[in-house]
Amino acid sequence: MTIAFAPSFLAPLALLPAIAFALLRPGKRPGSLPVWSEGSAFAAFALGVAGLAQAALGTLAQAGILDGALRLALRADLVSTAMATLVGFIGWIVMRYSRTYLDGEEREGTFHALMLSALAAVLVFVQAGTLATTILAAITVGLALKRLLLFYPLRAEAGRAAAKFTLVWHAGDAMLVVAAALLFARFGTLEFAALAEAARTTGLGLTGTFGIAAIVIAAGLKTAAFPLHGWLTEVMEAPTPVSALLHAGIINSGGVLLITAAGLVQQSAGAMAALAMLGGLTALFGAAVMLTQSAIKTALAWSTISQMGFMLLQCGLGLWTLALLHIIAHSLYKAHAFLSSGNAVTEVASIRRPGPVAAPSVGAVLKSFALALAIFAAIAAAFTSVFGPKSPQALALGAILIFGVAYLVAQGLADRAPVALTKRTAASALAAAIGYFSFQTIAQSLWGPILPAAPMPGQLEWAVLVVAVSSFGLVAFAQALFPLWAHHPSTAGLRVHLANGLYLNALLDRAIGGFSTTTKR
């Protein structure tokens, strides 16, 4: 049953009174404003929960105004209300944290107004029923976040980060406008559900194909995908609550866009392949650079880049339910990581240092990969017999995940490793395989009826699967053997290059500098 109202539709509106209050009290210690900000964020979270409950009971909702290309609409189903609940929860926690973190700042009231405005725009974004609504919400998020990144305007690094963010984020907005124009010209509508249905019945045509390509480019720009990822590593000059909201919420915009338009995007095999390749490359690159970082927040930023790449890979493989689950899990983890980053140094210093890590031989590494894959195959067979067959894409993604565990197993199979370590690493492989298929089954049961199933692989899809699995496997194999070649002279140089992100960010720096020079003249 579909109705015209859902409680989650009111979540953005619940923030408006506090935003107005904050605009009237923009300065230091604005009275009871921080309490009102936290209370309004909690109200938005509660409304999201109510909307999720309504959708879980089988009642869907959609409401909108205007018609044609300008139609603005919200939708409430299990996907959109789950995202609204997540955004509301993250927003509430961040605003609660901000009450003490920003206490006494000169522009404390302005901060609350901007944070709540960004939160309201994200709540609209995740519930958007039309591409026009998505564009309007995305532009609003970009404007609010730019002001937040410039909260300390005298810091040169903050200005540079804000300039980079503005360039990349609004380039994504421009691609969404291009996509809207092309898709409306082809199908005569911008409602996501109608677009997917029209693409299935009438075909994409050249115009529709280019429209989907524009959506994919926009998603890549908004998730800080390779090679325009550099801005995300330089936004640490903003207050910590801004980093938490950005990394736990706003950076997921590209993934939310793809999941919302999944039925449409999946009609283009080329777009899906491009997503998988771009996501896989971003994931590997971000993870490699992250391992070389010494600053905690910078390492977390590179971790976000890697995780967003992995999420794009999931979308490209057609594993939409797993991509949604990944967004939820990553958001909760990253919000906690940033808000607790101040205690990280103390916690790391208090950890009891283990003895030297056992260096596995090539034979031990080969055995570890064989053992990990054997455990994965056994668990996959068990889940298949109970819950039905798994798609080749799901099996390939599971193999990629198990490669990471194989690295740990290699430590346990080293000649000098104690028996206890061997048992623990084997148990880790078993737990990872069981956990993956358990969460995959849960996600499929929750959102599988709403999101499209992974397509049957053709020649292109099989080629992408082989390249993805091989690439992650080779990287994991090289990492497991790292103790054997860590002392080679070339390793020190490689570490320096990776620590600087292979200097790709310098290209964007030059672009920003060039624009600045032109403006001054």
Side-chain angles (χ1 to χ4, degrees):
M1 180 176 67
T2 302
I3 60 176
F5 172 77
S8 57
F9 292 168
L10 300 177
L13 299 178
L15 303 175
L16 296 183
I19 294 174
F21 187 8
L23 293 175
L24 295 175
R25 302 287 299 274
K28 182 191 297 186
R29 293 201 169 91
S32 59
L33 172 60
V35 177
W36 280 97
S37 294
E38 180 191 343
S40 64
F42 180 79
F45 168 53
L47 289 167
V49 172
L52 180 60
Q54 176 181 293
L57 293 175
T59 302
L60 308 181
Q62 185 168 0
I65 58 173
L66 305 179
D67 294 307
L70 299 179
R71 179 167 175 77
L72 303 176
L74 298 178
R75 77 191 199 288
D77 53 34
L78 276 176
V79 172
S80 64
T81 54
M83 292 304 303
T85 301
L86 174 68
V87 171
F89 177 73
I90 297 296
W92 170 47
I93 296 300
V94 170
M95 296 311 299
R96 182 178 178 83
Y97 181 87
S98 301
R99 284 180 56 183
T100 54
Y101 186 90
L102 269 294
D103 184 41
E105 289 282 352
E106 289 295 331
R107 301 169 61 230
E108 183 178 354
T110 299
F111 175 86
H112 285 276
L114 291 172
M115 284 288 285
L116 292 175
S117 298
L119 181 59
V122 175
L123 285 168
V124 172
F125 187 95
V126 299
Q127 299 182 89
T130 68
L131 193 51
T133 311
T134 299
I135 294 171
L136 183 61
I139 292 174
T140 305
V141 170
L143 294 175
L145 187 56
K146 178 185 177 182
R147 296 285 303 277
L148 286 167
L149 294 177
L150 291 171
F151 185 74
Y152 300 115
L154 298 181
R155 297 181 180 179
E157 295 85 356
R160 184 176 61 188
K164 288 183 179 181
F165 164 78
T166 301
L167 181 66
V168 175
W169 185 271
H170 291 307
D173 295 338
M175 294 310 301
L176 286 179
V177 172
V178 171
L182 292 171
L183 294 173
F184 189 79
R186 171 62 179 168
F187 301 113
T189 181
L190 292 182
E191 294 194 25
F192 288 112
L195 284 171
E197 182 62 28
R200 282 192 293 267
T201 56
T202 65
L204 290 175
L206 185 61
T207 304
T209 300
F210 280 119
I212 293 177
I215 289 178
V216 169
I217 294 172
L221 291 170
K222 292 187 179 297
T223 52
F226 181 93
L228 298 179
H229 54 274
W231 64 268
L232 189 61
T233 66
E234 296 185 1
V235 296
M236 303 309 167
E237 293 298 321
T240 296
V242 178
S243 298
L245 183 63
L246 171 60
H247 287 262
I250 294 174
I251 196 64
N252 295 316
S253 299
V256 173
L257 169 66
L258 291 171
I259 292 171
T260 302
L264 173 67
V265 174
Q266 193 160 294
Q267 300 302 311
S268 172
M272 296 289 282
L275 274 174
M277 299 303 290
L278 176 64
L281 176 60
T282 302
L284 290 172
F285 176 71
V289 177
M290 179 196 69
L291 294 175
T292 66
Q293 303 301 310
S294 56
I296 294 171
K297 284 189 175 182
T298 305
L300 287 173
W302 282 103
S303 168
T304 298
I305 292 172
S306 178
Q307 291 297 321
M308 289 300 99
F310 202 75
M311 183 268 299
L312 291 178
L313 172 63
Q314 292 169 321
C315 292
L317 295 179
L319 301 173
W320 304 105
T321 58
L322 282 175
L324 179 55
L325 183 64
H326 189 171
I327 287 175
I328 293 173
H330 176 261
S331 296
L332 295 174
Y333 159 70
K334 203 52 66 79
H336 173 268
F338 270 96
L339 296 181
S340 63
S341 60
N343 300 325
V345 175
T346 303
E347 293 175 357
V348 170
S350 64
I351 296 175
R352 184 174 63 86
R353 297 295 188 272
V357 176
S361 63
V362 175
V365 172
L366 291 174
K367 290 178 183 178
S368 70
F369 274 73
L371 176 60
L373 289 174
I375 292 174
F376 174 76
I379 299 301
F383 271 81
T384 298
S385 64
V386 176
F387 298 104
K390 305 296 179 183
S391 67
Q393 293 92 330
L395 294 174
L397 186 69
I400 290 173
L401 291 175
I402 213 67
F403 286 150
V405 182
Y407 165 75
L408 297 177
V409 176
Q411 305 296 319
L413 293 181
D415 294 336
R416 298 172 59 184
V419 176
L421 179 62
T422 303
K423 293 180 179 179
R424 288 179 62 184
T425 53
S428 297
L430 180 63
I434 295 175
Y436 170 73
F437 284 110
S438 297
F439 283 117
Q440 191 267 343
T441 301
I442 293 172
Q444 190 63 31
S445 64
L446 289 175
W447 301 302
I450 302 174
L451 297 172
M456 289 300 298
Q459 291 184 349
L460 178 60
E461 289 79 6
W462 279 116
V464 170
L465 288 176
V466 170
V467 171
V469 173
S470 301
S471 299
F472 279 88
L474 288 173
V475 170
F477 189 79
Q479 184 182 11
L481 292 174
F482 182 76
L484 300 181
W485 53 277
H487 301 292
H488 193 278
S490 61
T491 304
L494 177 61
R495 181 182 179 85
V496 172
H497 297 320
L498 284 176
N500 288 279
L502 300 183
Y503 312 101
L504 293 173
N505 201 24
L507 299 177
L508 195 54
D509 281 333
R510 291 182 180 180
I512 297 297
F515 293 143
S516 300
T517 302
T518 302
T519 301
K520 290 177 182 178
R521 290 178 182 174

